[in-house]
Amino acid sequence: MAEKLWQGRFEQPTNRMVEEYTASIHFDSRLYRYDIQGSIAHCRMLADCGIISHDEASLIVQGLGEILREIERGELKLEASQEDIHMAVEHRLMQKIGEVGGKLHTARSRNDQIALDMRLYMRDVIQHCRKLLVDVQESILVLVKQHLGVVMPGFTHLQHAQPVLLSHHLMAYYEMFGRDDERLAECHRRTNVMPLGSAALAGTTFPIDMERTARYLNFPKVIRNSIDAVSDRDFLIEFCAAAALVMAHVSRLAEELILWSSTEFGYVTMSDAFCTGSSIMPQKKNPDIPELMRGKTGRVYGNLMALLTLVKGLPLAYNRDLQEDKEAVFDTVDTVVQTLSVLSKLLPELRFDRERMKEMAAQGFTLATDLADYLVSRGVPFRKAHHVIGQLVQYCLQKDKDLRDCTVEELKQFHKAFDVDVFLLLDVATAVDQRLSQGGTATSRVEEAVQRAEAELAARKKALTNGANV
């Protein structure tokens, strides 16, 4: 068993059960690249500041590069006795280059080291999630442009409300995912701060240059308080909160796909490539992928609550409780990345039943509001018009007929303002294109929204490719 790098103060070896209970290397090993990247920058800064020699720094950097390659080739065996990825890398470094490897940890602690690793990791993760959101939004736009003239019933309370364009309905999700991207961009800005040099909690007595380390690692700024640097995880919680909202929006879309693909709705058919069958019922085609998206949303919510609970009563500064942040964060990352990746591929494969949606768009008296607006345009107060049309709907229900089936004479029984031109409004396509207010469902407004969205996505893709945070 290798001796712990902190063993000097202890008389007894660590109990094997304690080693297993406290070890985090089985999950924080995914940070190896960031840990080595941070160590190389720290080493170079130490040499630049004259704290270690340049020859020592060259030896350390060379050794770290070799360890990186060993890990990526699967040659370095990681064990619970090594505690975490930081200790594993440092232990291997000292095996390779001797005691000079111990100089790497000058002027730093595992406390600021792990804070750095997580910020480096999350910086990349956030930008990756933002690129995946772009993919999802582009997939939505493909559907929107393919189905621009398709009318469907709009819903409130899951009841038919007013006719809308399918494209308008889908663009609502485009907007939701756009706000998700904005939240992630803000989270990235607060994550992109360099904590290394804060040491355990109080800073260091060595004449380090944290700004220099920040430049090596492409951080635009340095943390302003050493205690805050090592003891808070709000940037991780903020990511998980943003991720929870991403999943909430995915789950709402998934729920609609599940409903719409049912026999009762019949609005959409999902590709066989994104469905599964039944082990007993040969006819079944189950929407398992959207169902799992809906289900996995709960685990992301749970991870957020776990992190909030983790930090709610922690005294300053660092406490070992904070080791528990990583599994929740890593699980959230994996879940969101996988979900968005699958969603962007599922969406273009959807096939909508245009005729079914158009047929249903007119059912349930969805044009009632248009008739009320018609009366208002002829000087009838809205509340009076609302009451009149409510009575008309009740009449139609009793007569088992639709609004379009009424004659002018019947309509005039409810208000004298009705005339023959009212029938021009009793068409779902006409009703849709009357909604010309900003953000409305009229075809011209949706076309404007698509043009704006395409320009937005092109600019965001270019910025993300160039490493900008917009």
Side-chain angles (χ1 to χ4, degrees):
M1 183 188 301
E3 185 177 272
K4 303 293 189 294
L5 296 177
W6 42 261
Q7 191 71 43
R9 178 251 185 269
F10 290 77
E11 295 181 353
Q12 292 178 288
T14 308
N15 183 286
R16 174 66 70 178
M17 290 179 62
V18 172
E19 281 189 344
E20 294 176 355
Y21 188 70
T22 61
S24 60
I25 197 164
H26 56 286
F27 54 81
D28 68 20
S29 58
R30 74 164 66 189
L31 298 173
Y32 73 89
R33 178 177 292 276
Y34 301 100
D35 194 72
I36 291 173
Q37 179 186 0
S39 290
I40 289 173
H42 180 67
C43 179
R44 287 175 172 164
M45 179 277 296
L46 291 176
D48 292 342
C49 295
I51 299 170
I52 63 175
S53 71
H54 285 285
D55 287 343
E56 290 170 329
S58 295
L59 192 60
I60 291 170
V61 169
Q62 181 180 342
L64 289 170
E66 292 173 2
I67 294 169
L68 176 62
R69 290 186 288 274
E70 288 176 355
I71 295 175
E72 292 183 336
R73 291 194 298 261
E75 297 172 358
L76 183 58
K77 186 177 181 181
L78 303 175
E79 300 175 343
S81 61
Q82 296 168 319
E83 294 188 63
D84 53 39
I85 190 61
H86 328 297
M87 291 289 97
V89 169
E90 187 173 345
H91 184 266
R92 179 59 179 150
L93 181 65
M94 294 177 69
Q95 284 182 331
K96 294 179 73 70
I97 67 174
E99 287 193 357
V100 68
K103 293 191 174 186
L104 174 60
H105 210 57
T106 305
R108 76 173 182 184
S109 161
R110 273 190 295 179
N111 294 356
D112 60 342
Q113 188 178 355
I114 184 55
L116 173 69
D117 290 2
M118 289 301 289
R119 286 180 182 272
L120 288 170
Y121 169 75
M122 291 307 304
R123 194 168 66 173
D124 284 353
V125 161
I126 291 168
Q127 296 302 76
H128 182 49
C129 288
R130 295 185 64 204
K131 290 175 183 177
L132 292 175
L133 281 171
V134 169
D135 293 342
V136 170
Q137 289 181 290
E138 285 184 328
S139 295
I140 290 173
L141 284 184
V142 169
L143 289 175
V144 166
K145 290 188 288 186
Q146 287 175 347
H147 302 87
L148 191 58
V150 178
V151 182
M152 64 171 287
F155 295 88
T156 61
H157 308 278
L158 204 57
Q159 305 295 314
H160 285 207
Q162 293 178 296
V164 297
L165 289 181
L166 170 60
S167 294
H168 187 58
H169 188 105
L170 294 172
M171 282 301 292
Y173 286 105
Y174 172 91
E175 295 295 334
M176 294 178 205
F177 290 126
R179 290 193 299 276
D180 290 331
D181 177 76
E182 291 173 4
R183 277 184 283 270
L184 286 172
E186 281 293 300
C187 180
H188 185 277
R189 181 175 64 81
R190 282 182 282 275
T191 298
N192 201 17
V193 184
M194 211 284 297
L196 195 63
S198 301
L201 76 160
T204 179
T205 58
F206 291 95
I208 63 171
D209 186 345
M210 293 173 69
E211 298 285 353
R212 184 181 294 270
T213 309
R215 287 194 295 273
Y216 279 136
L217 295 170
N218 294 317
F219 281 105
K221 56 185 178 180
V222 172
I223 204 82
R224 299 195 300 185
N225 183 283
S226 61
I227 295 177
D228 176 48
V230 301
S231 65
D232 204 359
R233 295 294 186 266
D234 58 353
F235 67 101
L236 299 179
I237 297 171
E238 184 176 3
F239 168 76
C240 287
L245 283 168
V246 170
M247 292 300 294
H249 294 147
V250 170
S251 186
R252 295 184 75 180
L253 177 54
E255 170 73 1
E256 293 201 317
L257 293 179
I258 294 164
L259 287 174
W260 291 0
S261 64
S262 67
T263 303
E264 286 71 19
F265 276 81
Y267 292 177
V268 69
T269 300
M270 277 181 270
S271 166
D272 288 358
F274 292 93
C275 294
T276 64
S278 166
S279 64
I280 187 172
M281 295 170 284
Q283 84 284 5
K284 292 296 296 299
K285 179 178 176 181
N286 299 327
D288 284 23
I289 302 307
E291 288 173 348
L292 280 172
M293 291 174 173
R294 187 176 60 184
K296 287 178 182 290
T297 299
R299 69 190 293 158
V300 173
Y301 289 2
N303 290 335
L304 172 60
M305 292 310 300
L307 289 177
L308 287 168
T309 305
L310 179 69
V311 303
K312 75 173 184 63
L314 288 185
L316 297 176
Y318 180 81
N319 296 271
R320 190 64 178 267
D321 311 49
L322 292 175
Q323 177 177 300
E324 290 296 302
D325 63 356
K326 294 167 197 62
E327 288 182 283
V329 171
F330 295 157
D331 182 69
T332 296
V333 169
D334 292 344
T335 301
V336 172
V337 167
Q338 288 181 332
T339 299
L340 292 178
S341 298
V342 173
L343 181 59
S344 67
K345 300 298 187 297
L346 179 153
L347 290 173
E349 299 292 322
L350 297 176
R351 297 293 177 264
F352 290 94
D353 189 331
R354 297 165 179 251
E355 293 305 315
R356 170 68 172 171
M357 299 183 95
K358 182 178 180 180
E359 175 191 352
M360 297 304 293
Q363 294 191 15
F365 302 99
T366 58
L367 299 178
T369 304
D370 294 80
L371 292 187
D373 289 345
Y374 172 89
L375 292 178
V376 170
S377 69
R378 278 151 180 74
V380 180
F382 179 77
R383 278 296 155 217
K384 174 63 176 177
H386 185 287
H387 182 73
V388 168
I389 302 304
Q391 291 180 318
L392 175 59
V393 168
Q394 183 62 35
Y395 169 81
C396 289
L397 287 169
Q398 292 170 351
K399 298 293 184 181
D400 193 23
K401 64 194 313 183
D402 193 80
L403 294 171
R404 292 169 297 178
D405 301 326
C406 294
T407 65
V408 175
E409 289 72 23
E410 285 178 295
L411 295 177
K412 283 182 175 292
Q413 293 177 23
F414 292 90
H415 203 286
K416 63 182 180 180
F418 281 116
D419 209 337
V420 291
D421 61 344
V422 72
F423 294 107
L424 297 174
L425 300 178
L426 295 178
D427 173 75
V428 290
T430 301
V432 162
D433 281 335
Q434 292 294 314
R435 264 62 186 187
L436 286 165
S437 56
Q438 190 168 335
T441 192
T443 303
S444 59
R445 286 299 192 183
V446 175
E447 289 173 338
E448 290 173 3
V450 170
Q451 292 175 0
R452 183 171 61 248
E454 289 178 326
E456 288 172 354
L457 287 183
R460 199 184 326 150
K461 284 180 70 174
K462 181 177 180 181
L464 288 169
T465 300
N466 295 332
N469 185 48
V470 297

